[in-house]
Structures are given as C-alpha cells and as structure tokens.
Amino acid sequence: MKIAVLGKGGREHSLVWKLVQGKEVEKVYCIPGNAGTASIAENVSLEDNSFEGIANFAKEKRIDLTIVGPEEPLAEGIVDFFQEKGLKVFGPSKKAAIIEGSKIFTRELLQKYEIPSAEFACFDSAEKALKYLHEKGAPIVVKADGLAAGKGAIVCETIGEAEQAINKIMVEKAFGKAGEKIILEEKLVGEEASYLIFTDGNTIKPMVSSQDHKAIFDGDRGQNTGGMGAYSPAPVITKELEKEIIETIMQPTIDAMKKEGREYIGVLYAGLMITKDGPKIVEFNCRFGDPETQPLLMRLESDLLPILQSCMDGSLAEQEIKWSEKAACCVVMASGGYPGSYEKGKEISGLGEANSLEGTVVFHAGTKLDGEKVLTNGGRVLGITSLGNSIKESIENSYRAVEKISFEKAYYRKDIGQKALNREK
Ligand code: AMP
Ligand code: GLY
C-alpha cells in the first residue's frame, strides 16, 4: 500500500518510522516532512497546500491512505473533503474534531454526559467574564475557545493575572478569532498524564499511558511549549485508574459523540489531571500527541497500519494490539529561545552516532536537509527517544544519546521522566 502522512513534526517522523516497517507498506510519502522523514520516506512539498492540492496529489500518486498528523486540517474538515472525493483518510471528521477545535463544545458535552472535568463558565464579552471572575476569585484558568497552537490556556494564580488574560484574549485579541469566546474554569490540582486511544466510533483500544512535559524549564517552570519530552508508561496511572479512565471518561466520550451525531473515528487523546477525586479531563485532542507519539510508537509491537484500517472499517474489536513491556523516553532538543523567538539554520552534528546507540531513535521535528548537512528549522528540533528495561534506564539511554548531538544554542530539559522516578523513591 502507498501511504501519505501529513505534517512535519516529531510525531509525523515517528508515524513514518513505524509505518515503513509495516508488512503491507510499499511506499510512504510525507507532506511536507523534515530531514528525518526524508531519510526513510519521500518528502513532498506541494505548491498547492490546500485540501484540493493535497487530494490531487493523493489521486495522482494513487495513495491508498492519508494519515493526518496535526489538528488544524482535521478541525477544518480535511477528512470530509477527502471522503467526498472517495479518498481514504485516517482521522476524525470536522464534526468530531470539534472535540479539540472548540473547548466550549467539549466542556458542554462533558457536563451533559456527566464525564469528570473542571467546573466552567463561557463568555462572549470581557465584561461578563470579569464579573464572573470577581465572583469566583482565583486561582482560575482562562481559555480561548478555539485552536491557539497550545497557547490558549492561561493558568492564573491571582485575580490580576486573570484580568490580564481576559484582556489579552478578548480585547487585544491575541489569538484572533479563536478568542471570540472564552472559558473561565476551575483550576484542577494534581499530576497530569496523557491517555490516547484508537477508536472506530464504537470500540476503543487504549494505547499505553504517557506523560508530556509542557513547560519550557525544569521543574515545570516557565512558559508552556508544544511539549519538551514524554515518557511511557506513566506510573501515576495505575491499573485501577486506567480502568476508571476507560469506564468513566474514554468510552462514555466516544458513546456521547455518537449520540450527538458526531461519530468519532481516529485517535482520541485525553489530557488528564489525576486529582485527589480521581481522573478529570483537562482537554481532548483529536489526533496523536507530540511528543507522546514518539515513545508510544517505540513501544508498539503490532503493525500500525492494520490498526488504523480497522478504526476506519469498524473492525477494531477484532484487532489485537501488542505493546512492549519496556519503557520509552523522549527528550526534545529545541532551539535556544523557543517558545519565544529563535534562530534557524544551525548545523546539527552527532546524529549518526546518537542513532546508532542500541534502542535509540532520533526523531526529527524542526530540521531540514541542506545537501549532506542537517540544519535546524524550527523551535522543537529533535526528539531523542530510547527504550529501556525501566523508565530510569530509558531516560538514561535518551540522555546518553542527547549528549552525542550538538547544534548552536541547543536547549533541552534535564528532568524528563523525573516525576516517575520520584514516585519510586
Ligand atoms: P490546554 O490548552 O487546555 O491543553 O491546556 C494547556 C495546559 O494548561 C494543560 O496541559 C495544563 O497544564 C494547564 N491547564 C489547562 N486547564 C487546566 C485546568 N482546568 N486546571 C489546571 N491546569 C490546567
Ligand atoms: N503533547 C501535547 C500535544 O500533542 O498537544
């Protein structure tokens, strides 16, 4: 089969890496891809990047399946567009991707079906939001309704911070249309974890648990990023909690979406807070996580393509999905200055040496080829991912590989996975 993967990040490199190992896979294209995907698949940069342009490419090359990495095209309806043209595509429809595209939709859905989440209120004007803020007080979380590249949620410890956040979203319009409506919600307290499932709209098959590191600095300090590292499994999710997450959150959400006429097919990613009252939803994403996918796919022993196909043809219940008992850890190397401004075009050295370490794969994110050289080309540059017999070993293996790699102003967190190790103490 011929496959196309849409996107250019570490998530997409790991998807391509896993797919090319598949029995039925004869060719993989990555649109537009990065230097990592170029080494194992064919990168394609389309002049016409519209849905029409991508669909034309899929038709011309007789692509059997297109897999969509990022949320924007899903929220904008690429799946519906492809299906109308008779093209196979993996991901939720526009009606279903709203679970990530509108935080208000999702909060209302969770409330209606009594799925554990934060208490919230929605507003379409700054005055009303401020009035509610002064009634409720702080801490409080202020969120833009729509997609804001992971930056639309502002956790405020004081009323002053929350006033500024409301102003930033509704008056200064920092996130444009995504901030026409906002949510003020209860700040959940606990440890965060990521829980992803495959679903065909009825059956769900969980992936193994994982945990992201959103903040830029060690100790979860500083601004939020796309994610500075991830590991799997996340010991905060015990066997009992996992059962609770499936029974009280994941299956009820898939069932609720179906009842609402928004059948959800694809990967559903729950950002959870494990509170003292149990797991609660912080957010849903309508796709694979980045960087969670890197450690998750390294632990996936089964072929990926048949799982995706069974989500699409409704036969997921018959799929057996095998995961490695090993742990995996991904350390993200970023350009100095990220998530603020940073320079691009720095030469990266040591990639070969890092990649040749047993059990390690260097997934590329913001990289590009320049002849034989690999240059930095984004904020998050690489995701160095290793397996290990324990979480500790996987962390050590990844950092050993990180030390082999260098580029000017490279930055990475030194404490990826530390929360898991602290638990063992
Ligand atoms: P979101 O954009 O909704 O994914 O939120 C980004 C990050 O903000 C989350 O990963 C949390 O760390 C934090 N956050 C969002 N909502 C809440 C909440 N209700 N309580 C505590 N932290 C939150
Ligand atoms: N790991 C965060 C995300 O994929 O949105």
Side-chain angles (χ1 to χ4, degrees):
M1 280 182 66
K2 287 188 189 169
I3 315 286
V5 174
L6 223 55
K8 59 179 181 183
R11 163 183 52 210
E12 287 76 19
H13 186 189
S14 63
L15 284 166
V16 169
W17 171 84
K18 184 68 191 169
L19 287 163
V20 296
Q21 299 173 49
K23 277 200 213 84
E24 306 281 322
V25 176
E26 97 201 43
K27 169 107 193 162
V28 179
Y29 296 93
C30 195
I31 311 173
N34 55 38
T37 58
S39 68
I40 50 174
E42 184 174 332
N43 280 0
V44 180
S45 49
L46 293 174
E47 245 171 62
D48 177 4
N49 248 327
S50 65
F51 291 172
E52 185 89 47
I54 303 168
N56 285 342
F57 175 81
K59 259 193 223 151
E60 201 182 290
K61 296 286 180 188
R62 298 179 183 278
I63 303 231
D64 298 292
L65 173 63
T66 300
I67 300 164
V68 186
E71 61 276 20
E72 290 88 359
L74 293 168
E76 286 162 16
I78 193 167
V79 168
D80 313 65
F81 189 90
F82 265 55
Q83 285 171 345
E84 277 159 26
K85 299 212 170 311
L87 294 165
K88 287 252 186 226
V89 56
F90 179 81
S93 66
K94 181 174 184 172
K95 265 177 129 178
I98 191 173
I99 204 158
E100 177 167 2
S102 168
K103 293 188 197 290
I104 295 178
F105 165 83
T106 300
R107 287 281 171 248
E108 286 173 349
L109 180 89
L110 296 173
Q111 189 176 52
K112 178 170 172 190
Y113 291 90
E114 297 180 356
I115 297 167
S117 168
E119 220 188 278
F120 73 99
C122 312
F123 304 95
D124 57 10
S125 84
E127 294 75 48
K128 288 182 211 155
L130 287 166
K131 184 162 178 283
Y132 178 84
L133 167 67
H134 290 119
E135 280 162 26
K136 280 278 166 185
I140 199 159
V141 184
V142 179
K143 291 185 173 180
D145 174 43
L147 292 179
K151 301 195 179 87
I154 308 172
V155 181
C156 305
E157 296 304 330
T158 64
I159 291 190
E161 277 172 36
E163 285 171 346
Q164 274 179 20
I166 293 169
N167 198 49
K168 180 173 165 184
I169 297 173
M170 300 221 80
V171 183
E172 292 168 17
K173 303 198 189 304
F175 307 117
K177 274 181 95 63
E180 277 177 359
K181 293 187 193 152
I182 60 170
I183 302 184
L184 266 60
E185 71 181 32
E186 170 198 2
K187 182 187 170 194
L188 298 171
V189 179
E191 187 172 334
E192 280 185 77
S194 304
Y195 201 77
L196 285 78
I197 58 156
F198 294 104
T199 182
D200 60 8
N202 292 301
T203 298
I204 68 170
K205 291 270 167 140
M207 301 190 206
V208 279
S209 64
S210 56
Q211 189 175 59
D212 188 10
H213 298 64
K214 287 212 166 84
I216 184 71
F217 299 127
D218 287 13
D220 294 335
R221 289 174 304 109
Q223 261 180 286
N224 267 352
T225 68
M228 293 302 293
Y231 65 91
S232 168
V236 62
I237 300 189
T238 57
K239 272 267 159 274
E240 298 75 61
L241 265 181
E242 184 161 15
K243 189 164 178 281
E244 191 178 338
I245 291 164
I246 293 169
E247 287 173 1
T248 68
I249 295 179
M250 305 311 292
Q251 189 70 53
T253 300
I254 293 302
D255 296 344
M257 290 296 277
K258 195 171 175 193
K259 283 204 196 95
E260 295 292 315
R262 296 175 182 274
E263 186 181 47
Y264 192 101
I265 294 168
V267 165
L268 180 64
Y269 160 156
L272 300 169
M273 187 72 80
I274 311 303
T275 73
K276 64 174 178 22
D277 304 321
K280 294 192 179 180
I281 280 291
V282 174
E283 58 159 350
F284 275 122
N285 293 323
C286 63
R287 53 176 169 83
F288 285 97
D290 190 342
E292 290 93 331
T293 305
Q294 291 84 315
L296 289 176
L297 291 185
M298 279 191 70
R299 291 189 63 202
L300 178 61
E301 286 180 344
S302 309
D303 210 344
L304 178 60
L305 183 61
I307 304 174
L308 305 185
Q309 286 172 312
S310 69
C311 290
M312 293 163 55
D313 67 19
S315 65
L316 185 62
E318 292 139 43
Q319 277 290 319
E320 201 201 339
I321 305 181
K322 280 212 184 105
W323 299 92
S324 164
E325 290 296 319
K326 291 194 172 181
C329 171
C330 169
V331 177
V332 170
M333 293 181 84
S335 299
Y338 172 78
S341 60
Y342 53 82
E343 293 164 22
K344 296 182 185 176
K346 311 289 181 196
E347 186 175 353
I348 308 173
S349 63
L351 289 168
E353 211 185 327
N355 246 326
S356 66
L357 294 174
E358 172 84 22
T360 295
V361 181
V362 178
F363 292 116
H364 290 225
T367 68
K368 70 168 186 192
L369 280 176
D370 177 24
E372 297 283 289
K373 293 184 195 163
V374 179
L375 305 181
T376 67
N377 192 40
R380 291 191 291 172
V381 176
L382 301 166
I384 293 84
T385 312
S386 306
L387 290 169
N389 290 318
S390 62
I391 297 175
K392 184 164 182 284
E393 203 179 284
S394 70
I395 296 169
E396 286 165 1
N397 290 344
S398 281
Y399 279 106
R400 193 170 306 131
V402 165
E403 279 161 25
K404 309 278 181 212
I405 298 175
S406 55
F407 56 90
E408 206 184 305
K409 297 192 184 149
Y411 171 79
Y412 57 91
R413 273 180 65 161
K414 312 280 188 304
D415 67 342
I416 303 303
Q418 198 56 47
K419 278 200 204 94
L421 302 188
N422 290 345
R423 269 176 186 274
E424 288 167 8
K425 279 181 190 158

